[in-house]
Every structure is written in structure tokens, then in C-alpha cells.
């Protein structure tokens, strides 16, 4: 079993509620895919594909996928990703992106999404990014504004 990153990088100043544990994604966390299906389309991914993608992310050393486990059931009930992008601008700085924030439907209303956001903001500050950004649905803008984000640039995409 391997962790995507060292759990020692997780912030110690964000309290985790009783009954939950916070850790890095591991290469046997296939339940993570079930949770992601509550965010968007995942399609069919077998264990081999999961492991290969996990290995590629670990090798890249810029993916920080944190998961919240419900201790009683050992199930992943929340997850969020911090992606670090290397730049030449800003004195060869780094930019952080928050991706794939998802909390299990059963666990909504417990402020776990907020907790995951706080964790990733702290990690991004420790890593030293010059900018942290995310894309979200219009209705989630007030939620993310609580964590320091401001509506700024427009986001354009192209789908294939
Ligand atoms: C949301 C996510 C984004 C994810 C996308 C998937 C956050 C902050 N944003 O925008 O990371 O990639 O949904 O939707 O979690 P899509 O399948 O339509 O791209």
C-alpha cells in the first residue's frame, strides 16, 4: 500500500471532527472512485487503471489528494485535490488549483466540504503558491468565497 504524498504534509492547525480521519489517498482506495461519481462522470476504471493513474500522479509529485475517512465504516466520505503547477512567471513560482472537491451525500451539512477546503488552503500556503484558484458552479460561489476566493477572471472551456 502506498500513499500519494507524506501524511506529515497535512496541516495540524485544522481540527478534524471526532469519528473522521484525514489522510492522503492510497493506491488501494478504490472507494474514492465511487465518491467521485457524486461529482461527475467517472466511467469504467478497473483496479489496474486506477493503480497506473495513481502511480503517474505520485511520480509527478504535484498531486495532493486528501481524503476524509469515516472511522466506523472505513469509507471515504470526502475528498479534495490540490494540484501544483510549475511556472516560469512569478520568479519560477507555483500556482495551486483546487479540484474535485466532493462530500458523500450522506455526510452533507456537517461542514466537511469547508474542512477539506481549509486543509488545502493551508497546504497551498505551506507549499508557497502565489495563487490558488478553482472552478465551480455558479451556486457554489458564495460557499467558496467563505474561504478567501474572489470572483475574478472568466473561465472558458472546450469539451471533446
Ligand atoms: C467542478 C470541480 C472540478 C471538477 C469538475 C468536474 C471543484 C472546486 N471543482 O468544477 O474540479 O473537475 O467539477 O466537472 O471541485 P466536469 O466533469 O463537468 O468537468
Amino acid at each position: 500500500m502506498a500513499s500519494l504524498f507524506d501524511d506529515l504534509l497535512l496541516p495540524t492547525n485544522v481540527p478534524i471532527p471526532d469519528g473522521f480521519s484525514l489522510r492522503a489517498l492510497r493506491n488501494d482506495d478504490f472507494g474514492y472512485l465511487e465518491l467521485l461519481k457524486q461529482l461527475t462522470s467517472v466511467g469504467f476504471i478497473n483496479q489496474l487503471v486506477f493503480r497506473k493513474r495513481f502511480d503517474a500522479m505520485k511520480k509527478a509529485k504535484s498531486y495532493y489528494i486528501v481524503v476524509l475517512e469515516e472511522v466506523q465504516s472505513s469509507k471515504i466520505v470526502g475528498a479534495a485535490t490540490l494540484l501544483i503547477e510549475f511556472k516560469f512567471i512569478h520568479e519560477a513560482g507555483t500556482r495551486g488549483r483546487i479540484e474535485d472537491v466532493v462530500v458523500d451525500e450522506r455526510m452533507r451539512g456537517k461542514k466537511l466540504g469547508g474542512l477539506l477546503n481549509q486543509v488545502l488552503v493551508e497546504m497551498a500556503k505551506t507549499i508557497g503558491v502565489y495563487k490558488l484558484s478553482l472552478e465551480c458552479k455558479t451556486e457554489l460561489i458564495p460557499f467558496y468565497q467563505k474561504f478567501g476566493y474572489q470572483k475574478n477572471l472568466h473561465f472558458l472551456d472546450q469539451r471533446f
Side-chain angles (χ1 to χ4, degrees):
M1 188 253 296
S3 283
L4 188 58
F5 63 90
D6 192 336
D7 281 329
L8 289 172
L9 292 170
L10 293 167
T12 50
N13 58 346
V14 180
I16 309 302
D18 286 346
F20 296 94
S21 74
L22 184 78
R23 58 173 177 79
L25 183 77
R26 296 178 189 149
N27 66 350
D28 59 354
D29 277 333
F30 307 115
Y32 172 58
L33 297 176
E34 288 308 309
L35 182 65
L36 280 181
K37 286 178 186 170
Q38 295 185 33
L39 179 71
T40 188
S41 157
V42 175
F44 178 72
I45 297 184
N46 64 25
Q47 297 194 358
L48 182 68
V49 174
F50 178 84
R51 284 242 159 95
K52 279 194 170 166
R53 179 47 48 99
F54 180 97
D55 290 346
M57 286 177 166
K58 189 169 167 75
K59 201 169 159 203
K61 293 190 173 136
S62 52
Y63 289 86
Y64 298 85
I65 303 180
V66 297
V67 300
L68 251 187
E69 191 178 294
E70 185 187 31
V71 175
Q72 196 190 5
S73 63
S74 300
K75 278 203 165 145
I76 298 177
V77 294
T81 301
L82 169 65
L83 172 60
I84 301 296
E85 193 178 308
F86 297 98
K87 297 281 199 181
F88 283 113
I89 59 173
H90 294 274
E91 296 175 321
T94 51
R95 170 183 180 169
R97 293 178 187 266
I98 302 290
E99 293 279 354
D100 304 335
V101 179
V102 57
V103 171
D104 192 329
E105 277 151 2
R106 290 189 297 127
M107 295 286 164
R108 306 248 167 104
K110 296 180 191 291
K111 301 194 185 296
L112 299 179
L115 171 86
L116 288 164
N117 270 289
Q118 269 177 278
V119 165
L120 295 190
V121 170
E122 286 307 312
M123 288 175 71
K125 283 186 194 161
T126 305
I127 290 166
V129 303
Y130 82 91
K131 176 166 92 175
L132 185 60
S133 61
L134 58 82
E135 296 145 22
C136 70
K137 292 183 184 145
T138 311
E139 60 265 31
L140 287 174
I141 292 174
F143 169 74
Y144 284 110
Q145 281 176 329
K146 287 192 263 175
F147 304 101
Y149 298 93
Q150 286 175 353
K151 220 170 139 205
N152 195 346
L153 302 172
H154 294 286
F155 169 69
L156 288 81
D157 75 359
Q158 202 173 148
R159 303 251 162 173
F160 302 102

